[in-house]
Amino acid sequence: MSHIKNLIPSTVNPDLQKERTGAEFNVEEFSAWWHGGQDKLKKKREIEKALFSDLEDGYGLNHEYMSHEEVYNSSVKKVAEAAVKLKALQNKLNPGGTDIWPGGLFNAQSFGLFPANHPVATHITMFVDVIKGQGTPEQVEKWGKAAENCNIIGTYAQTELAHGTNVRGLATRADFDPKTDEFVLNTPNLEAYKWWPGGLGHTANHAMVVAQLYIADVHHGVQMFIVPLRDSETHMPLPGVDIGEIGKKLGMASVNQGFLGLNQVRIPRTNMLMKFAKVERDGTFKASPASRINYLTMVYTRCLIVSQNSTLLLAAATIATRYSAVRRQSPIEPNQPEPQIIDHVTQRLKLFPEIATGIAYHLATEYVWEMYDQTVQEANNGKFERLPDMHILSCALKVLCTTDGCAGIERLRLSTGGHGYLTAANLSNIYGNAVAAYTYEGENTVLLLQIGRALVKAWASFVEKKPLSASYSYFATSMQLKEFPKWDDSWQCIIKALQYTAAQKPRIAFENLANRMASGQSQGVAANNTGIELTRAAELHGRQFVCQTFLEQITGAKAQKRSPALNKILENVLELFLVQTVLNNLNDILRFISLSDADLRSLQKRLEDSLEQFRPNAVAICDGFEFHDRVLNSVLGSYDGNVYPRLFDSAKRSTMNQKPVQTSFETYLKPLMKAKL
């Protein structure tokens, strides 16, 4: 218990209150819009009240002083305790749904319960949904309901010690034995061991194992198999299963990522997910009607990653913005009082673009979720035309959001100065949760190369006047222009400039790839040597999509449902994001578009003006995201803004401060200090 708990005021810091009073829009309206309507906002608040009301004092910080095992066991305990509450809330607020239970184990509120994350996350986000999405009705009935209720706990075991993003290179085998109607699974060498699946170490008793299917030693591609790992009563590993945790990591202390080796492990034939590809009793293999149907799982997960990482970025932005409204330092005018650091233009540049970026990716995610649902419905009806586009789009969003989000979180941490370096600020935990996504579900550079190759292929089709999907429609509109029109400073001009530049990049990559091959390089070597151009083309393809989607979401038909005051605020957020995107990509834009010095000066002024207009509403916008204090878990970002009392309170909680003299003093420090020269 802190010795100065009572010194934390029950009132709001006056500087923070001044920011809220001066806001130019209704925060409640923003919150309702952000959370999908007043009913959803009300439900969110009720859930948080039920989940957080009885958490002990200092709960969010206590785990920082636990051992590795204690952190894990504490998170398992909290999952079990939360399950009771979440099930009751689900039955009360939305009977028959899954948004609260088990969905509440992996949404924004979950960070309030699990400050070090938890080992059931992969089970909820992947194991359950893969069964429901790619299992037959019989498999969903057998496995899905039990998994949803956590009667069985699974993980998604794809990545291996020596292979990750390159799924075709996976070495784990599943051989069909027609005599017993079983698959026999093996990891043939150390490099084939499954590595990184969340919860695999000591939590999951099943795994969705991604393996190469062989029937009579004939390869039939990558398939997914439900493999029991541990005894349902004792939780001991089953015969042939070598399993454990991979060790401590930069973040996600409680996720319990593990390794898995399989030695002659047998499972029934019906444990292979067979909604699309099938193996009959006699060993006949029926291929999926779409060769890349398994990508649906990764598309879903990448959409989830974008949703989560944009949320993490905005949580960090909320902490840094509130702190910047409270912290006073460095007079702008000599002999004047120290201003709030948010009044420094350079500080605004650290904060406000990150808020705009988080909003942009949030809105892009909402749009892509709609596309994903349509893609799943079409796949269920035997239509798979949309799959390639969804794969490329989800890759692009995953890459951009994790890259921009992680860089943004670090900028925000730096914006808080030395205090942001404390774990009590929680920015390190937020970064640790976010940065892992840079690698999992497709390492970002590898994904950019996949997108780049798809763009070059699309460009070749465009040159041959073959039809293209809607994702590449900007090729035609851009290439119809002999040169880009005169810059007019409009938002549409910015979008067209980004699309025009984005269209030129695959053209150049295509031409250079062809030239390298003409000079004698093999296709593989030529593609490798074109990698820089491919990745840059891929990035711009994604950026033009995010900007276009942001513009449509803010100025389109949905704007009519919002008040003029809120629309004005959101239009300034859009302005900041678009202008910043242009300025950040000028090296490519200026290669293809002529901008005068006056045009560039105008862009700079627009940036400064948008930061100025953002200033009186920054705290209120962050309030509108409505992160509960338990979720932020930050002494710098609490709603009341009492930064310094909370900082001191967190220091007093350190286990080192529970006694005035440490044991090492008498044993080591005192002899050192008393030693003679």
Side-chain angles (χ1 to χ4, degrees):
M1 181 65 68
S2 168
H3 298 300
I4 66 156
K5 179 185 176 186
N6 293 332
L7 295 181
I8 298 178
S10 59
T11 56
V12 174
N13 178 284
D15 279 332
L16 208 52
Q17 186 57 53
K18 179 190 70 174
E19 297 295 325
R20 291 174 175 136
T21 303
E24 300 167 338
F25 68 100
N26 186 298
V27 175
E28 185 72 9
E29 182 191 358
F30 184 104
S31 295
W33 165 72
W34 185 255
H35 290 283
Q38 194 64 49
D39 289 342
K40 290 185 178 179
L41 178 61
K42 180 181 177 182
K43 183 167 71 173
K44 167 193 173 293
R45 290 169 176 170
E46 185 171 348
I47 292 170
E48 289 177 341
K49 183 178 180 181
L51 291 179
F52 302 147
S53 60
D54 60 351
L55 292 182
E56 64 266 24
D57 183 37
Y59 169 74
L61 189 61
N62 292 342
H63 75 281
E64 298 290 353
Y65 299 104
M66 294 179 181
S67 70
H68 187 48
E69 287 188 37
E70 288 171 339
V71 170
Y72 167 75
N73 288 313
S74 173
S75 69
V76 173
K77 175 186 175 185
K78 286 299 178 184
V79 168
E81 292 173 348
V84 177
K85 293 182 178 181
L86 291 169
K87 289 177 183 179
L89 286 166
Q90 186 72 68
N91 291 331
K92 176 184 176 182
L93 301 176
N94 186 19
T98 59
D99 54 325
I100 304 173
W101 171 260
L105 292 178
F106 197 80
N107 56 19
Q109 290 99 317
S110 69
F111 289 108
L113 286 175
F114 314 110
N117 217 306
H118 67 84
V120 188
T122 305
H123 168 74
I124 297 301
T125 58
M126 294 196 69
F127 185 77
V128 172
D129 283 281
V130 171
I131 292 173
K132 292 169 67 177
Q134 301 201 42
T136 64
E138 295 78 13
Q139 289 173 323
V140 173
E141 179 65 26
K142 179 179 180 179
W143 304 102
K145 292 181 179 179
E148 253 182 356
N149 199 43
C150 291
N151 299 129
I152 61 172
I153 294 177
T155 188
Y156 185 78
Q158 175 174 298
T159 298
E160 297 176 353
L161 188 57
H163 277 93
T165 303
N166 180 22
V167 178
R168 293 180 181 178
L170 297 178
T172 303
R173 285 182 62 128
D175 288 84
F176 180 62
D177 183 350
K179 295 179 182 178
T180 60
D181 195 26
E182 293 175 316
F183 291 111
V184 184
L185 283 93
N186 285 281
T187 47
N189 48 49
L190 179 65
E191 289 80 3
Y193 263 54
K194 296 300 182 183
W195 195 269
W196 280 113
L200 176 60
H202 300 87
T203 313
N205 61 0
H206 289 73
M208 186 70 67
V209 175
V210 181
Q212 306 286 359
L213 170 63
Y214 286 85
I215 302 174
D217 217 29
V218 176
H219 183 227
H220 292 284
V222 171
Q223 307 298 335
M224 288 184 282
F225 305 84
I226 298 176
V227 181
L229 304 176
R230 293 177 177 272
D231 184 272
S232 60
E233 291 298 324
T234 66
H235 208 55
M236 287 293 292
L238 295 173
V241 174
D242 185 16
I243 194 170
E245 193 211 36
I246 63 173
K248 296 184 73 173
K249 311 162 296 287
L250 184 149
M252 296 186 173
S254 293
V255 175
N256 193 224
Q257 280 102 338
F259 63 79
L260 173 66
L262 301 170
N263 182 17
Q264 298 295 110
V265 173
R266 289 179 171 268
I267 60 172
R269 175 179 55 86
T270 51
N271 279 31
M272 172 180 147
L273 293 190
M274 296 195 198
K275 182 176 182 179
F276 300 107
K278 295 178 174 62
V279 176
E280 303 291 359
R281 174 64 185 87
D282 62 0
T284 301
F285 177 73
K286 293 184 177 180
S288 167
S291 61
R292 294 190 173 185
I293 193 66
N294 285 347
Y295 280 122
L296 262 179
T297 301
M298 287 180 277
V299 168
Y300 168 83
T301 308
R302 286 167 187 153
C303 290
L304 202 64
I305 289 169
V306 178
S307 180
Q308 184 187 52
N309 271 48
S310 61
T311 298
L312 290 169
L313 174 60
L314 291 172
T318 299
I319 293 168
T321 300
R322 287 176 176 171
Y323 175 73
S324 297
V326 172
R327 178 78 165 180
R328 288 180 171 272
Q329 192 162 288
S330 304
I332 296 172
E333 290 282 359
N335 304 317
Q336 291 295 312
E338 289 188 308
Q340 297 162 279
I341 61 172
I342 200 171
D343 285 332
H344 291 280
V345 173
T346 50
Q347 184 74 358
R348 297 174 189 175
L349 186 61
K350 297 174 186 178
L351 302 173
F352 303 165
E354 307 308 336
I355 299 173
T357 297
I359 293 174
Y361 284 119
H362 171 83
L363 295 178
T365 306
E366 287 193 333
Y367 176 79
V368 174
W369 275 126
E370 293 174 5
M371 291 181 62
Y372 173 80
D373 290 339
Q374 293 172 9
T375 303
V376 171
Q377 290 178 6
E378 291 174 1
N380 289 337
N381 293 320
K383 298 179 181 179
F384 305 99
E385 293 80 6
R386 197 192 295 261
L387 258 180
D389 262 16
M390 277 300 301
H391 170 62
I392 294 301
L393 185 57
S394 67
C395 285
L397 276 181
K398 186 267 186 184
V399 169
L400 293 181
C401 185
T402 55
T403 301
D404 293 349
C406 293
I409 292 167
E410 176 62 3
R411 275 192 292 271
L412 291 161
R413 183 190 69 80
L414 293 171
S415 79
T416 62
H419 293 324
Y421 193 66
L422 288 164
T423 56
N426 202 38
L427 292 166
S428 57
N429 277 324
I430 291 174
Y431 182 79
N433 278 316
V435 76
Y438 192 100
T439 305
Y440 66 67
E441 287 311 308
E443 194 276 333
N444 281 3
T445 302
V446 175
L447 293 185
L448 285 172
L449 288 169
Q450 287 185 20
I451 301 164
R453 288 192 290 269
L455 286 167
V456 167
K457 184 177 179 180
W459 181 262
S461 297
F462 172 73
V463 171
E464 296 170 5
K465 301 189 183 320
K466 294 180 180 178
L468 293 175
S469 66
S471 294
Y472 309 111
S473 60
Y474 66 90
F475 282 11
T477 55
S478 297
M479 301 314 293
Q480 286 171 359
L481 303 171
K482 292 184 178 180
E483 63 179 24
F484 194 79
K486 181 175 174 55
W487 190 266
D488 66 11
D489 269 352
S490 68
W491 290 336
Q492 282 297 342
C493 180
I494 290 176
I495 300 296
K496 289 178 181 177
L498 289 168
Q499 292 179 337
Y500 187 82
T501 305
Q504 301 292 341
K505 297 297 283 186
R507 172 183 66 80
I508 291 174
F510 174 83
E511 292 170 355
N512 289 344
L513 179 65
N515 289 337
R516 289 182 171 110
M517 293 175 65
S519 71
Q521 295 181 14
S522 68
Q523 184 174 354
V525 170
N528 181 51
N529 290 335
T530 313
I532 295 173
E533 296 150 290
L534 292 173
T535 57
R536 190 66 186 136
E539 181 183 338
L540 284 167
H541 175 69
R543 295 206 181 281
Q544 64 81 27
F545 169 79
V546 174
C547 288
Q548 176 68 41
T549 304
F550 198 2
L551 177 66
E552 292 171 355
Q553 295 289 315
I554 297 302
T555 65
K558 293 180 180 179
Q560 298 176 9
K561 300 178 181 180
R562 301 188 294 260
S563 70
L566 180 54
N567 279 330
K568 182 180 179 182
I569 300 302
L570 294 176
E571 286 167 5
N572 186 59
V573 176
L574 172 65
E575 163 79 355
L576 175 57
F577 183 77
L578 293 181
V579 171
Q580 182 83 331
T581 300
V582 170
L583 291 172
N584 287 344
N585 292 278
L586 276 178
N587 60 325
D588 284 311
I589 292 171
L590 290 175
R591 184 175 180 182
F592 308 108
I593 298 173
S594 295
L595 289 175
S596 67
D597 181 67
D599 294 330
L600 296 174
R601 287 176 183 270
S602 173
L603 285 167
Q604 178 66 23
K605 187 175 187 306
R606 288 173 67 181
L607 171 66
E608 294 162 358
D609 288 347
S610 62
L611 292 174
E612 181 69 26
Q613 292 176 36
F614 209 117
R615 166 66 184 86
N617 299 295
V619 168
I621 289 172
C622 291
D623 286 350
F625 303 137
E626 205 161 290
F627 289 107
H628 194 283
D629 274 357
R630 289 291 190 182
V631 173
L632 293 179
N633 191 29
S634 173
V635 295
L636 305 186
S638 62
Y639 185 84
D640 63 23
N642 291 311
V643 169
Y644 302 122
R646 290 185 180 279
L647 276 165
F648 197 72
D649 176 71
S650 70
K652 296 292 282 188
R653 292 178 188 278
S654 170
T655 53
M656 293 281 287
N657 290 327
Q658 304 314 304
K659 52 185 178 181
V661 178
Q662 293 294 313
T663 55
S664 60
F665 174 75
E666 289 290 343
T667 308
Y668 301 108
L669 187 57
K670 185 176 180 179
L672 175 65
M673 297 169 69
K674 298 291 185 181
K676 296 179 181 180
L677 290 175

